[in-house]
Amino acid sequence: MTLTDENLKILAALGKNPTGTNQSLCKDVGISSQSLKNRLDQLYSQKIFLGVSATVSPFAVGLEPIAVFAEVSPENWSLFEKICDDHPYTRYRIRTFGAVNGIFAIFSVPFHTTHILIDLLEKLKKRGSIQNYELAVPTSSYLSSETDFGYYDVNIGWNFNWDKWEKTLEADEANGLESPPPSVLQRLDEKDMGILRQLSINSRRKNKDIAKILGIEPYHLSRRKKAMERMKVINYYRVLVGNQSLQITSHALLNCKASNDVIGSVATAVKQLPFQSTLIPVLDGFILYTTTTSLDFPILVTALRKQCSSMEFMWCDYRSGYRYWFYDEPFQNRQWKAEYDFMVRDVLCPLKNGDSDDIEN
């Protein structure tokens, strides 16, 4: 399917209002409801538009995000990815090449259980499944930018003013950092967690369809959804698109060391990027996962490098990237399961193959 100006208007309208009703989108795009439905169906079938995912704040639901850079040899890629798949608190993983040849993963574990995650990684290192690893703990809420199709022209491609953007990056008083929301874990129940899971899968489904899956009334879903948005349990909604059709072919991870002032300026600037990106502020800098065109990427990196004391660069294999839907099953009796067996032994059990001593010790 060739992208047309009308298709871009639809994607642009979705980017500005990911959970907007079809009626509101029709007004923004200037087409009939039936035409919009047909266009969305086509975008779905061509895997250009993949849906809308609710991004849940780990802090608000009583979880601590941990970023892991793991050095993994190619013969162990699948094994480590299986570990991520089986771990109850994995949120994302992708293969990386460059400063770290292996896998970048994000976990959100119950508070005060980071040592259990470290023990799991140490056991994998002892087995030779990973060569080394580094942890980074976020210090504030993730920040993001969504693909802004207003900068895309079907005839010439992307047209973004990088000079203007760099001035934002250099602003002395810019500070786009956001404090993590407080935990509201005790105000949430199993139904709420089920709602979060379904909204993370695809928030653009009709309320009545999601409510039917959960066994609740649509009005209850609507009320709880608004409450969780208000409490910042839902950070934002991310429009999922097939980037290849939009010339977005560069997927990269930057691990940068920088002062707190620079982190604040970068946070402000990242929000204005036209490409989907995620910024993770950490104690001594920031991690940036970004998707851009091959022409725009060097401009972005050059501008950032001027501000940072050091930068580690990794290409990412987007084909191996895996975003995990919010996983609600470990939530029981208003708390997360945090037993060692659940977070380590049960994860390693399929790998025993006669090495039980290694797993138990």
Side-chain angles (χ1 to χ4, degrees), residues 10 17 50 55 91 295:
I10 293 173
N17 190 9
L50 308 177
T55 301
R91 291 294 175 258
L295 295 176

Side-chain angles (χ1 to χ4, degrees), residues 16 23 236 347 354:
K16 294 176 181 177
Q23 184 177 9
Y236 52 86
V347 176

Side-chain angles (χ1 to χ4, degrees), residues 308-334:
C308 302
S309 58
S310 69
M311 174 186 289
E312 292 183 340
F313 165 74
M314 288 145 274
W315 285 113
C316 297
D317 178 8
Y318 74 94
R319 299 168 302 174
S320 69
Y322 198 92
R323 182 197 306 271
Y324 297 84
W325 308 130
F326 182 77
Y327 189 44
D328 59 315
E329 289 187 17
F331 182 76
Q332 300 173 2
N333 301 318
R334 296 185 184 273

Side-chain angles (χ1 to χ4, degrees), residues 124-185:
L124 291 171
K125 185 177 178 180
K126 181 180 178 182
R127 292 171 57 93
S129 302
I130 61 177
Q131 281 68 59
N132 210 347
Y133 65 89
E134 178 184 345
L135 268 60
V137 180
T139 55
S140 62
S141 292
Y142 299 175
L143 298 158
S144 70
S145 63
E146 296 304 308
T147 307
D148 189 339
F149 300 97
Y151 291 101
Y152 187 77
D153 185 287
V154 292
N155 296 311
I156 64 174
W158 292 91
N159 184 22
F160 181 66
N161 190 330
W162 285 105
D163 291 335
K164 182 178 179 181
W165 181 82
E166 190 167 358
K167 290 179 180 178
T168 302
L169 187 65
E170 296 170 350
D172 292 333
E173 298 181 359
N175 192 339
L177 295 175
E178 299 177 4
S179 299
S183 173
V184 292
L185 188 64

Side-chain angles (χ1 to χ4, degrees), residues 60-191:
V61 296
L63 297 171
E64 183 175 16
I66 306 289
V68 176
F69 295 93
E71 290 277 359
V72 186
S73 57
E75 63 269 20
N76 286 322
W77 284 344
S78 296
L79 184 149
F80 189 78
E81 288 167 343
K82 181 66 165 56
I83 290 292
C84 291
D85 294 346
D86 290 344
H87 197 284
Y89 296 112
T90 314
R91 291 294 175 258
Y92 184 74
R93 63 166 169 81
I94 194 167
R95 295 176 187 174
T96 62
F97 311 95
V100 175
N101 292 298
I103 293 173
F104 173 74
I106 296 177
F107 298 84
S108 290
V109 299
F111 277 108
H112 311 301
T113 63
T114 302
H115 65 286
I116 299 179
L117 177 61
I118 292 174
D119 192 73
L120 172 64
L121 294 169
E122 284 293 328
K123 289 186 180 301
L124 291 171
K125 185 177 178 180
K126 181 180 178 182
R127 292 171 57 93
S129 302
I130 61 177
Q131 281 68 59
N132 210 347
Y133 65 89
E134 178 184 345
L135 268 60
V137 180
T139 55
S140 62
S141 292
Y142 299 175
L143 298 158
S144 70
S145 63
E146 296 304 308
T147 307
D148 189 339
F149 300 97
Y151 291 101
Y152 187 77
D153 185 287
V154 292
N155 296 311
I156 64 174
W158 292 91
N159 184 22
F160 181 66
N161 190 330
W162 285 105
D163 291 335
K164 182 178 179 181
W165 181 82
E166 190 167 358
K167 290 179 180 178
T168 302
L169 187 65
E170 296 170 350
D172 292 333
E173 298 181 359
N175 192 339
L177 295 175
E178 299 177 4
S179 299
S183 173
V184 292
L185 188 64
Q186 295 306 310
R187 299 174 62 178
L188 304 174
D189 58 23
E190 281 81 357
K191 288 293 185 184

